Amino acid sequence: MTAAKKKAQVSVYLDPDVMKALSAYAARREQSLSLIAEAAIASFLSPDADERREAAIAKRLDQIDRRIARLERDVGISVETIALFIRFWLTTTPPLPEPAAKAARAQAGARYDNFVAALGRRLNQGPKLRQEIPNDVDGVQFSPETMKADGN
């Protein structure tokens, strides 16, 4: 009968932070440091470790891709909202005579401050404009022709 092989002892040097994390993990799991270190090394050396790492990276990249797609959508909504507002404002606001224009410029600072305060309230309280717009709007392309056809 063959005697069971004895495990080999290895001495390693660990960064104090790594050692602290290893000790805390072993204490939480109620396992020895050697068992945790052996499992970590075996996992690192296993042939499927690269595949697991690649799968984890692919999952993270997919999440980032979805977030960027939402960001692009939100930025597109913002740009179109501003463009629509400017177009509406320019077509509905007649030019003022000079005395009235001076008075309007005098009030502009206060009106701007009120706008910024209202924007701050809207951002804090919600709902956000992007939540009010359905997701299927993404396929719609806005152009001056579409705006005229819609009557805007």
Side-chain angles (χ1 to χ4, degrees), residues 3 15 20-21 35 39 60 70 86 108 129 133 138-139 149:
D15 185 78
K20 187 186 301 180
L35 182 67
R60 289 182 192 133
R70 280 193 304 263
I86 291 170
L129 176 66
I133 298 174
D138 287 341

Side-chain angles (χ1 to χ4, degrees), residues 101-112:
K102 286 182 183 177
R105 279 192 289 275
Q107 291 179 343
R111 292 177 70 191
Y112 179 76

Side-chain angles (χ1 to χ4, degrees), residues 5-132:
K5 289 186 177 180
K6 186 176 179 184
K7 291 186 176 183
Q9 181 177 359
V10 176
S11 295
V12 296
Y13 296 98
L14 298 176
D15 185 78
D17 292 337
V18 173
M19 186 62 195
K20 187 186 301 180
L22 177 62
S23 298
Y25 185 80
R28 279 194 313 273
R29 299 288 180 158
E30 297 179 354
Q31 300 290 331
S32 70
L33 293 174
S34 294
L35 182 67
I36 303 290
E38 182 179 355
I41 293 168
S43 174
F44 184 79
L45 296 175
S46 76
D48 63 337
D50 289 337
E51 292 172 11
R52 283 196 308 256
R53 224 180 345 265
E54 186 176 328
I57 291 170
K59 181 180 176 184
R60 289 182 192 133
L61 287 174
D62 287 344
Q63 291 171 344
I64 291 170
D65 187 49
R66 285 191 300 275
R67 288 178 184 156
I68 288 174
R70 280 193 304 263
L71 183 61
E72 287 175 343
R73 175 186 177 268
D74 293 349
V75 168
I77 289 170
S78 299
V79 168
E80 291 301 324
T81 301
I82 292 170
L84 182 64
F85 172 78
I86 291 170
R87 185 176 295 127
F88 176 79
W89 184 78
L90 289 174
T91 58
T92 59
T93 306
L96 298 172
E98 191 53 39
K102 286 182 183 177
R105 279 192 289 275
Q107 291 179 343
R111 292 177 70 191
Y112 179 76
D113 291 340
N114 289 339
F115 168 76
V116 170
L119 178 62
R121 284 191 304 274
R122 172 76 181 211
L123 292 174
N124 283 333
Q125 297 169 0
K128 307 293 185 265
L129 176 66
R130 65 181 161 80
Q131 294 167 331
E132 296 175 8

